Amino acid sequence: MNKDHLSLELDKILEKLAEQTSFEDAAQLARSIEPSTGLFEVNELLRETYDAHSLSGRFGAPSFGNLHNITNALRRAQAGAVLTPLELLRAAVLLRVIRSVIEWRDKSASIETCLDMRFNALSPNKYLEAKITSAILSEEEIADNASPELASIRRKIAAESSRIRERLDKLIRSSSMQKYLQDSIVTIRSERFVIPVKAEFRSAVPGLVHDTSSSGATVFIEPMSVVEANNEIRILRSREQTEIDRILAEMSSELGAYADSICQSYRILTELNVIFAKAHLAYKMKATLPIMNDRGRILLKNARHPLIPQEKVVPTSVELGTSFDTLVVTGPNTGGKTVSLKTIGLLSLMAMCGLMIPATDNSELSVFDNVLVDIGDEQSIEQSLSTFSAHITNIKRILDIADEKSLVLIDELGAGTDPVEGAALATAILERLRSLGAKIASTTHYAELKSFALDTNGVENACCEFDVATLRPTYKLLIGMPGRSNAFAISERLGISSEVVDRAKELVSMEDSRFESVVEKLEESRSELDRRLAEADELKLRVKEELERARLEAEESRKKNEKELADARAMAESIITKARAQVYGVLDEIEAIRKKKDATAEEKAKLKADIRSMEDAADPVRVRETEDYKLPRPLKPGDLVLIFDIDKKGTVLEVGKDTVLVQAGIIKTRVALDNLRLLKQEKVTLPKRSVTRTVRNDVSRSASTEVDVRGQNAMDAIMDVDKAIDSAVMQGLHILTIIHGKGTGVLRREIQQHLRNHPSVRTFRLGTFGEGDSGVTVAELK
């Protein structure tokens, strides 16, 4: 990283990026990023970051785990070396991460991104991953099921060890041995089972001595009775290690066969981890994607320096390379000039590294071959003060390198020498850099450079706003406005006598006074425009809030209407369900009464009450509010009336005490007396249900009769059928056609059930084609 990038603190941004990575190689890759100078390459880098940013926002970032670089181990395995259990476990971890990253991408496959080529190049190997993880439990332990041979050997070792322990336990519990033992325990020394014997009785216990305690009071002896068994265990241990070495060699060989693809996948994972780290850093900085160009155009909107805490940084808007190629920033010290300069340079470098920038949408930046910087004041990160000679040496370096593809940032141009000579030198340097085609941003205190900017096309003034009333900078950069010195105003505010300040004003040249006056008027005009703009923004915000409130109210009203409609549907379903249940109950009662044949008055009254209750429950119409109304006279059968609450006309059939039986169309219903209105046509002809004798040409039907019970409930229909049967029997007829309609089949079923038990009916059948099919029942009478 060159000196200019360090001056702009790009290294600190890359360190923040490294902190977002998951493993060391990715962190090292993040720290080594260099700004790209090609527009296509920079746009590709930014597109990768933006796609990762979008995927992370919708699906969360993939997990990369704490990977280790096992490239060297894989190459050794490829050459035939045997890897250690730790190296094999790290390879299994890498394979697991490869698989999990691919699975994560499969879940987010609904979005196509420029990262898909990297994801598709990952090579998982679930078989090898499972084989390693199931066989190796830790870097020091191999699982019993790593191979059948290893499991067999370990079973034998366990059985032999158990037998040795049994022998030794029996030995140390014997009364003859107790007096020789230091402790009644069995322990292990040099992988052989031994017992602790007091040193003075060492010769009393025949066996091999394997160890002595630190105090010398105890010797650990392997009794001769278990020497052969211990030897057998030693042989089994040797076979166990041989089998483990074989297992490790086999796994290393398999892993080596896939070394190339695993190494490539590790490299891709490292790159992906850095890209998603860029996306994570963008979320932390609340960054956006800049629009890139290669024409030197910079247009930053509400840009924030990324190294200043977000609660302290003041957003600034900067423009360069649009209608002017040189920006001269003036203003008092600590006003934010240097921060504005660093923000331009650092955000340009960040974008060229593929990082999103902390600015609002549609900010523009350019790629540059060189970003040349001379910043060395007390506000620099290094805290180093440049001498005039060092300053000029750096300027010389910049003049030697700068061209039309360069961005030049100079802080306090021409400072550190005689003001007159310094201002002249600063002007000459700016003219030279402009002739080279560079884009320039410079800070200065020289009034001559303010005039240079005002008089020169392509050069623009800017200043960092300063509040004289509070003696504090606002850190707001104002493009097109030269900065004022404010020295006299500040001096008066700090208590310098007015005589001294007035004398100082007299000593200022007439040209300087006029210049300051013009600047002051410009400042007043700008403040007035800012005030009006703020008022307009506030009004716009209020209008937006009102529109949003109206939208929310409309949405709430829509939801309320939908809820009421849903409630009405639910109520209707409830009424239908209840009415259906009541219908079935009434039908059961009718059936019971019909079977009894002779129903009591109480049972009939109860049945009618149930029917009325069912009618009331099934009627969801609310009573309409109305004025007081009294019938002009008592109702009687045949009167034409209006059922008020449902606005339906009907004919009175039967008048009760408080209710009236009304026929409305094909429906008969009982209506409360106060819900009826007598219509002017007071008398109508009552519909009469008649049994019509029909003579047909067809011999088989010449003496038949018909009864039409369509639209009636089961009880009324059965009563009419009984009347028709009685009439036909009295007239000596033998065939009766009952027209009940098809409908749901309930009326047909009830009538036929009644006919089965009727004493005057010999048999019955459904109608044939031409008779009415299943809509009629033809009964043969006795």
Side-chain angles (χ1 to χ4, degrees), residues 33-52 114-115 118 275 278 289 350-356:
I33 292 176
E34 291 286 342
S36 299
T37 57
L39 179 60
F40 176 79
E41 184 178 358
V42 169
N43 278 330
E44 285 298 303
L45 292 172
L46 285 172
R47 185 183 169 199
E48 289 176 349
T49 304
Y50 183 75
D51 285 351
C114 65
L115 302 175
R118 284 188 170 88
I275 293 171
K278 291 180 180 180
L289 186 70
M350 286 175 61
M352 291 162 65
C353 290
L355 292 166
M356 297 167 70

Side-chain angles (χ1 to χ4, degrees), residues 456-631:
T456 308
N457 289 330
V459 183
E460 189 63 83
N461 270 304
C463 71
C464 288
E465 191 177 48
F466 189 86
D467 191 344
V468 180
T470 61
L471 300 182
R472 292 180 180 273
T474 65
Y475 300 101
K476 184 178 180 181
L477 188 68
L478 306 174
I479 304 292
M481 180 67 62
R484 298 172 58 195
S485 67
N486 296 311
F488 296 151
I490 293 173
S491 298
E492 285 186 315
R493 291 280 298 172
L494 293 177
I496 300 297
S497 65
S498 58
E499 293 82 1
V500 174
V501 175
D502 291 341
R503 175 57 180 159
K505 290 179 180 179
E506 293 174 1
L507 295 176
V508 176
S509 65
M510 185 63 68
E511 290 79 4
D512 289 341
S513 297
R514 284 201 297 269
F515 182 80
E516 287 293 327
S517 177
V518 170
V519 171
E520 183 177 0
K521 290 180 180 177
L522 284 173
E523 178 70 17
E524 291 175 355
S525 298
R526 183 199 60 78
S527 299
E528 177 64 19
L529 288 175
D530 285 348
R531 184 185 64 79
R532 293 185 180 181
L533 183 60
E535 291 177 353
D537 288 341
E538 184 179 357
L539 181 60
K540 181 180 178 182
L541 181 62
R542 284 204 300 268
V543 171
K544 186 177 179 180
E545 290 175 350
E546 289 296 329
L547 289 174
E548 181 65 16
R549 186 181 298 110
R551 186 189 68 79
L552 291 175
E553 289 177 355
E555 180 68 14
E556 183 179 354
S557 177
R558 183 186 65 79
K559 290 181 178 178
K560 183 178 179 181
N561 291 340
E562 289 179 353
K563 183 178 182 302
E564 290 179 352
L565 189 58
D567 292 344
R569 290 195 186 102
M571 181 181 293
E573 290 177 1
S574 176
I575 291 172
I576 291 170
T577 302
K578 185 177 179 181
R580 185 179 292 115
Q582 289 177 332
V583 166
Y584 290 149
V586 171
L587 290 176
D588 289 342
E589 292 181 12
I590 292 173
E591 179 64 18
I593 292 172
R594 185 188 62 76
K595 288 180 178 179
K596 291 176 61 176
K597 297 185 180 179
D598 297 325
T600 65
E602 292 180 358
E603 289 175 332
K604 292 181 178 179
K606 181 179 181 302
L607 184 59
K608 291 181 179 180
D610 289 342
I611 294 173
R612 285 195 297 272
S613 175
M614 182 178 65
E615 291 173 348
D616 293 340
D619 184 9
V621 181
R622 296 180 180 178
V623 178
R624 292 170 52 184
E625 295 182 359
T626 181
E627 71 284 352
D628 292 337
Y629 175 82
K630 292 184 179 179
L631 290 168

Side-chain angles (χ1 to χ4, degrees), residues 96-108:
R96 188 189 72 244
V97 171
I98 293 171
R99 179 171 54 83
S100 68
V101 169
I102 292 175
E103 289 173 353
W104 176 89
R105 184 63 186 113
D106 290 341
K107 292 179 181 177
S108 60

Side-chain angles (χ1 to χ4, degrees), residues 659-671:
T659 60
V660 177
L661 181 62
V662 178
Q663 172 113 27
I666 64 172
I667 302 299
K668 294 180 182 179
T669 181
R670 289 199 171 271
V671 183

Side-chain angles (χ1 to χ4, degrees), residues 293-392:
N293 64 81
D294 56 359
R295 304 186 306 277
R297 176 183 171 85
I298 296 175
L299 186 60
L300 293 174
K301 302 177 181 179
N302 297 319
R304 306 179 304 279
H305 195 288
L307 294 178
I308 301 176
Q310 294 188 17
E311 64 274 8
K312 295 182 180 179
V313 66
V314 178
T316 184
S317 296
V318 185
E319 183 180 347
L320 182 63
T322 51
S323 58
F324 54 90
D325 56 29
T326 303
L327 188 65
V328 178
V329 185
T330 54
N333 288 333
T334 71
K337 302 191 304 297
T338 305
V339 171
S340 298
L341 216 61
K342 287 184 175 181
T343 301
I344 297 173
L346 182 55
L347 266 57
S348 296
L349 292 176
M350 286 175 61
M352 291 162 65
C353 290
L355 292 166
M356 297 167 70
I357 61 170
T360 53
D361 291 331
N362 298 319
S363 292
E364 294 185 44
L365 285 171
S366 175
V367 293
F368 296 99
D369 289 348
N370 301 292
V371 177
L372 305 171
V373 180
D374 180 52
I375 297 177
D377 63 357
E378 63 275 10
Q379 295 183 30
S380 67
I381 302 302
E382 293 79 9
Q383 296 291 311
S384 58
L385 300 176
S386 302
T387 62
F388 179 70
S389 58
H391 175 69
I392 292 302

Side-chain angles (χ1 to χ4, degrees), residues 430-463:
L430 290 179
E431 289 177 343
R432 175 61 178 164
L433 289 171
R434 292 192 68 219
S435 69
L436 294 172
K439 301 298 183 287
I440 311 153
S442 174
T443 66
T444 184
H445 283 289
Y446 294 133
E448 290 81 355
L449 287 183
K450 301 178 188 178
S451 301
F452 171 71
L454 287 172
D455 298 335
T456 308
N457 289 330
V459 183
E460 189 63 83
N461 270 304
C463 71

Side-chain angles (χ1 to χ4, degrees), residues 689-702:
R689 195 176 288 106
S690 60
V691 177
T692 305
R693 184 180 180 121
T694 304
V695 178
R696 299 179 182 270
N697 293 329
D698 187 355
V699 176
S700 64
R701 297 286 302 268
S702 61

